[in-house]
Amino acid sequence: MKDGSHQVLLIPGSWVFSSNEYRAHLAHQVLTAAGCRRILTLPTPLATIWRRRSTVAN
């Protein structure tokens, strides 16, 4: 990341950094300082199913 080759990081959840909220936030700050422009948390498969159901219901 430091050379600018990676600017986006996809993760399944902040738990990949740490189960401790403070440490997960710190890891996010370190990655941002290293040049990562965006850290995107992917939706869980279950959240995707709920979103589809609510869209169909409306």
Side-chain angles (χ1 to χ4, degrees):
M1 272 194 251
K2 288 184 179 182
D3 66 357
S5 62
H6 296 82
Q7 295 182 353
V8 177
L9 176 64
L10 301 175
I11 59 171
S14 62
W15 54 266
V16 298
F17 300 131
S18 175
S19 61
N20 178 290
E21 189 174 332
Y22 173 77
R23 287 183 173 200
H25 180 70
L26 184 61
H28 187 278
Q29 288 179 323
V30 168
L31 288 167
T32 302
C36 186
R37 303 247 186 256
R38 298 189 70 183
I39 300 174
L40 304 173
T41 304
L42 301 172
T44 64
L46 190 54
T48 304
I49 291 170
W50 287 340
R51 192 175 309 117
R52 285 183 189 159
R53 286 183 182 170
S54 67
T55 303
V56 171
N58 292 329

